[in-house]
């Protein structure tokens, strides 16, 4: 509390205004939440969508396609990682060959 008392007047006023806004928004949000009580018609519509087998079948088909695409992407990433490992080994060999060539030139 002593630290708040040591603040300059503009900072103290800004702090108070920000706190007021925070509490006001919170209070208005709670009031809005109380006003919008869930209706039974919305629940019935949600239940109809959940029970509808055609929608569930479409979602299952789409999810299967997504799963297959994810597997293909994973396989492609694994292949790319294998190529990167191969290229890394080749670069190490080239680097070693260049080092050997430099050593040979120095010895001449």
């Amino acid at each position: 509390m002593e630290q708040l008392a040591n603040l300059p007047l503009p900072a103290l006023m800004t702090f108070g205004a920000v706190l007021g806004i925070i509490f006001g928004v919170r209070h208005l949000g709670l009031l809005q939440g109380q006003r919008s009580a869930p209706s039974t018609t919305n629940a019935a519509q949600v239940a109809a969508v959940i029970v509808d087998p055609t929608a569930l079948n479409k979602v299952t088909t789409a999810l299967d396609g997504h799963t297959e695409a994810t597997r293909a992407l994973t396989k492609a990433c694994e292949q790319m990682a294998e190529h990167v490992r191969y290229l890394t080994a080749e670069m190490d060999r080239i680097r070693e060959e260049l080092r050997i060539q430099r050593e040979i030139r120095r010895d001449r």
Side-chain angles (χ1 to χ4, degrees):
M1 199 61 160
E2 291 177 16
Q3 294 174 348
L4 285 177
N6 293 335
L7 286 176
L9 184 60
L12 195 56
M13 290 174 59
T14 304
F15 180 70
V18 169
L19 279 178
I21 291 171
I22 290 172
F23 283 111
V25 168
R26 180 185 170 275
H27 182 68
L28 290 175
L30 290 175
L31 287 177
Q32 188 67 23
Q34 289 173 352
R35 285 188 197 140
S36 64
S39 65
T40 57
T41 58
N42 290 342
Q45 289 173 349
V46 171
V49 170
I50 291 173
V51 175
D52 184 16
T54 57
L56 187 58
N57 289 339
K58 287 179 184 178
V59 169
T60 303
T61 303
L63 186 60
D64 288 341
H66 183 268
T67 302
E68 206 49 47
T70 303
R71 286 185 181 138
L73 179 63
T74 302
K75 185 175 180 179
C77 288
E78 288 171 354
Q79 290 173 348
M80 189 182 334
E82 184 63 33
H83 288 296
V84 168
R85 281 191 287 275
Y86 174 77
L87 288 174
T88 302
E90 287 299 314
M91 288 297 293
D92 287 341
R93 289 183 189 127
I94 291 171
R95 186 181 305 124
E96 183 63 22
E97 184 66 31
L98 288 173
R99 187 190 65 77
I100 292 170
Q101 291 295 325
R102 278 195 313 266
E103 290 296 322
I104 291 173
R105 286 188 205 133
R106 285 184 193 162
D107 290 339
R108 289 184 185 180

